[in-house]
Amino acid sequence: MGLFKKKQVKVETLTAEKIIMEQLNSDDDAYVTDLARQMMAGSPLILNFERLHIDRANKVIAFMSGVVYAISGHIVEINETTYLFGNQELYQDGSVEDWLRTNLN
């Protein structure tokens, strides 16, 4: 052990850099559960339900809404078929609002 320690630099990743965008083609339970786990771990999800039958889309939206509620997260309707799901830290660094403003206007 030396007298001088290397200073560890912690690099913070902006929330917007973790966004996962998916065009859902399936309501497979394992697939949807994996997406929910990624959201709970800090990756916001932008999910488009346009290709799913309405009943299957409603199933996924209901499941994701339950997960979001359980973790005190956020849901934002981007348009009629696209939603943003995120954990409670979704807006903490301000990068998601900037991303939405830049990419959706």
Side-chain angles (χ1 to χ4, degrees):
M1 180 174 267
L3 294 174
F4 302 100
K5 292 183 181 179
K6 284 187 177 182
K7 188 175 185 179
Q8 292 185 1
V9 178
K10 187 176 181 182
V11 177
E12 294 282 332
T13 304
L14 296 174
T15 305
E17 294 173 356
K18 300 181 212 175
I19 291 175
I20 297 171
M21 291 189 289
E22 292 282 329
Q23 171 76 52
L24 296 181
N25 295 310
S26 169
D27 65 339
D28 177 67
D29 291 342
Y31 171 63
V32 173
T33 302
D34 183 55
L35 287 172
R37 283 191 186 108
Q38 291 179 63
M39 183 211 22
M40 291 167 48
S43 294
L45 303 176
I46 296 178
L47 303 179
N48 182 287
F49 298 92
E50 192 169 359
R51 293 185 182 164
L52 282 182
H53 182 275
I54 191 157
D55 292 335
R56 293 177 186 273
N58 284 335
K59 172 190 161 189
V60 176
I61 291 170
F63 175 74
M64 287 297 189
S65 296
V67 173
V68 167
Y69 175 79
I71 62 172
S72 301
H74 303 275
I75 302 172
V76 177
E77 182 179 357
I78 294 174
N79 63 40
E80 195 173 284
T81 59
T82 307
Y83 293 84
L84 167 68
F85 301 91
N87 66 15
Q88 61 187 355
E89 287 118 24
L90 180 65
Y91 296 115
Q92 211 165 39
D93 64 13
S95 65
V96 172
E97 293 100 329
D98 292 341
W99 189 93
L100 288 170
R101 222 177 288 116
T102 303
N103 293 289
L104 298 179
N105 286 332

